[in-house]
Amino acid sequence: MISITLKRGKEQSLERFHPWIFSGAIARINGEPQEGDVVEVVAADGHFLCLGHYQIGSIAVRVLSFKPIEINQKFYDQLIAEAYQLRIDIGLAESTTTTAYRLVHGEGDGLPGLVIDIYNGTAVVQMHSVGMYRDRDLIDKALRRVMGDKLKAIYNKSEGTLPFKAALNPQNHYTWGKPDSKEAMENGLRFLPDWEKGQKTGFFVDQRENRALIERYAKGRNVLNMFCYTGGFSIYAMRGGANLVHSVDSSERAIELTNNNIELNFPGDARHAAFAQDAFHFMEQAKEKYDLIVLDPPAFAKHLNVLNNALKGYRRLNTKAIEMIEPGGILFTFSCSQVVSRDVFRTMVFTSAAKAGRRVSILHQLSQPADHPINIYHPEGEYLKGLVVRVY
Ligand code: SAH
């Protein structure tokens, strides 16, 4: 196996089990690894530190194990079994009312570069590293062993997520089985996640608990769900007894998905309307009065160097929402940018509130659910932040 020697002192973050090795920490590479190879990493004095997938870029190695083991079928069987057991323990994998959940969340499940979402027995597998992609057959086998007859199909959706320089040209396709049905459930509500054409794996399972919270606030309110995608927040608000629900997304396809999901749960319900419009444009022109607003924008900042611009966007959006919301209104506001820390996010909402000149109190501080676990040594894995505030 090819081994990589770190510069003196650069082993410290690995002794604290951080699962990434940056290229700047490397003193020398003893051999010529190909992207995706399993490599051994040793300290400057030669002692073993970890094994991981090699990749070209600023993150040079993603750690698979801090022990000298084999990365083989047994490795994937064990990690996927552990991930599945966690989802049983938190009441998801065997639930009959929630059949959409995340089974593998990268570093949070000890499998960096791998995401697997389950939709009513269909596993949507998304690889973000060449190493994981090369092990796709082992991963499929592990899934079949661990989930048994609960697994109906495996769909590999790595076309848009692998480093393009690797030139693997993966095609999105079913690698095993056929889906039973394309419908999945979340807390008893019905959804049609579109894993073949939709964003990410087809649905944002990470907002499940936050969507459930909106149901408790929706009664009698006029709800504006900005960046609605599949209409998740809207459907919970409808079940919670909202007076009116407006869903907005700039993508026509998202509006179509929202309308389909509303129709599935509340056929012909005139309380709902959906608009394919830019968020800023919609809010500038809005005529309706809203007293419950959701802001769940896409990650405006994917890298630190664009953080300031992204924060401007978040501030503009939040200021506008706080200005327009009725007194006593409730705002659910989120950021899913990994580079926006919890503190920075809260300061952004603070600045927006002050700019709007309204009294604002925090009711809930929201995060990602337990099927998106955060590896304690990898704080970068905490990406979803939300605040629920009351605006007077
Ligand atoms: N709240 C959703 C997830 C939102 S994902 C849920 O619970 O599932 C972010 C959405 O923002 C995407 O659907 C994207 O199409 C939409 N979007 C991106 N830029 C936008 C803009 N400027 N105006 C309106 N929608 C936008």
Side-chain angles (χ1 to χ4, degrees):
M1 190 188 303
I2 288 176
S3 103
I4 289 183
T5 308
L6 297 190
K7 293 178 184 159
R8 205 162 292 283
K10 292 294 182 189
E11 69 282 2
Q12 282 176 7
S13 74
L14 291 164
E15 282 163 354
R16 290 191 302 268
F17 303 109
H18 192 277
W20 292 346
I21 292 157
F22 291 96
S23 54
I26 294 175
R28 62 180 184 279
I29 300 180
N30 313 301
E32 280 183 27
Q34 299 296 306
E35 182 146 26
D37 282 351
V38 175
V39 293
E40 179 188 67
V41 181
V42 300
D45 67 4
H47 81 268
F48 174 88
L49 292 167
C50 65
L51 291 174
H53 279 144
Y54 177 73
Q55 59 183 54
I56 297 161
S58 93
I59 302 174
V61 181
R62 302 178 115 184
V63 179
L64 297 165
S65 176
F66 290 95
K67 294 193 182 116
I69 56 166
E70 294 261 320
I71 304 303
N72 53 15
Q73 186 68 58
K74 197 171 136 233
F75 169 80
Y76 287 105
D77 284 356
Q78 185 182 335
L79 275 120
I80 290 181
E82 285 171 6
Y84 192 60
Q85 187 59 48
L86 169 66
R87 278 64 181 183
I88 293 176
D89 293 347
I90 60 179
L92 289 173
E94 293 177 340
S95 166
T96 51
T97 50
T98 295
T99 58
Y101 65 90
R102 179 154 292 189
L103 171 61
V104 172
H105 184 61
E107 286 82 357
D109 286 293
L111 291 165
L114 181 65
V115 163
I116 305 178
D117 285 341
I118 306 290
Y119 298 115
N120 193 16
T122 296
V124 181
V125 176
Q126 195 157 71
M127 277 119 182
H128 296 259
S129 73
V130 175
M132 282 296 166
Y133 187 71
R134 279 177 27 187
D135 285 347
R136 60 196 180 279
D137 291 340
L138 301 180
I139 292 165
D140 279 10
K141 271 199 199 103
L143 269 171
R144 290 171 60 188
R145 281 191 191 160
V146 168
M147 291 184 63
D149 61 6
K150 281 225 181 311
L151 186 70
K152 307 295 177 205
I154 303 176
Y155 185 74
N156 194 298
K157 194 180 184 191
S158 304
E159 223 172 81
T161 55
L162 289 174
F164 75 100
K165 282 197 214 106
L168 294 168
N169 301 321
Q171 306 277 310
N172 293 343
H173 70 296
Y174 289 96
T175 56
W176 178 80
K178 270 217 160 81
D180 249 9
S181 112
K182 295 221 169 155
E183 193 180 310
M185 256 203 298
E186 197 182 87
N187 293 312
L189 292 166
R190 298 164 67 191
F191 291 93
L192 288 162
D194 183 7
W195 55 82
E196 291 180 22
K197 295 197 202 72
Q199 304 174 37
K200 303 274 171 100
T201 66
F203 193 64
F204 285 85
V205 277
D206 56 358
Q207 287 285 23
R208 182 180 51 249
E209 292 177 0
N210 304 329
R211 289 195 274 255
L213 185 62
I214 205 176
E215 188 172 349
R216 287 169 35 198
Y217 280 100
K219 200 166 173 52
R221 289 189 185 266
N222 285 0
V223 180
L224 175 60
N225 180 11
M226 301 299 297
F227 309 93
C228 64
Y229 186 31
T230 55
F233 282 99
S234 303
I235 291 163
Y236 280 80
M238 303 270 288
R239 189 167 68 178
N243 179 50
L244 162 159
V245 179
H246 286 169
S247 305
V248 179
D249 200 290
S250 56
S251 142
E252 298 270 357
R253 176 73 190 137
I255 292 304
E256 199 180 315
L257 292 172
T258 294
N259 283 330
N260 292 344
N261 286 330
I262 295 272
E263 215 32 48
L264 206 57
N265 293 279
F266 301 98
D269 195 322
R271 291 177 299 158
H272 182 261
F275 305 88
Q277 278 184 36
D278 170 73
F280 292 101
H281 179 79
F282 185 91
M283 289 170 91
E284 294 298 340
Q285 315 258 313
K287 296 205 176 54
E288 195 67 54
K289 300 223 174 290
Y290 300 102
D291 54 3
L292 204 177
I293 300 181
V294 182
L295 295 178
D296 186 21
F300 285 159
K302 293 228 164 83
H303 303 286
L304 264 179
N305 50 6
V306 294
L307 181 60
N308 276 336
N309 264 342
L311 283 173
K312 268 190 213 143
Y314 284 120
R315 270 197 297 270
R316 207 177 127 209
L317 201 61
N318 280 269
T319 304
K320 182 70 200 154
I322 296 172
E323 273 169 4
M324 74 190 271
I325 202 165
E326 290 292 290
I330 306 283
L331 171 68
F332 279 62
T333 179
F334 297 95
S335 164
C336 59
S337 291
Q338 204 174 62
V339 294
V340 176
S341 70
R342 202 161 271 284
D343 282 351
V344 166
F345 175 69
R346 186 159 157 175
T347 305
M348 178 280 292
V349 180
F350 163 98
T351 310
S352 307
K355 227 171 164 184
R358 304 276 296 268
R359 181 157 74 88
V360 171
S361 305
I362 297 174
L363 310 183
H364 302 269
Q365 308 194 43
L366 306 178
S367 180
Q368 61 211 62
D371 55 337
H372 294 62
I374 303 156
N375 175 339
I376 200 163
Y377 308 112
H378 180 248
E380 297 90 334
E382 181 178 359
Y383 68 100
L384 184 62
K385 301 145 292 274
L387 286 177
V388 180
V389 299
R390 188 165 180 103
V391 183
Y392 293 93

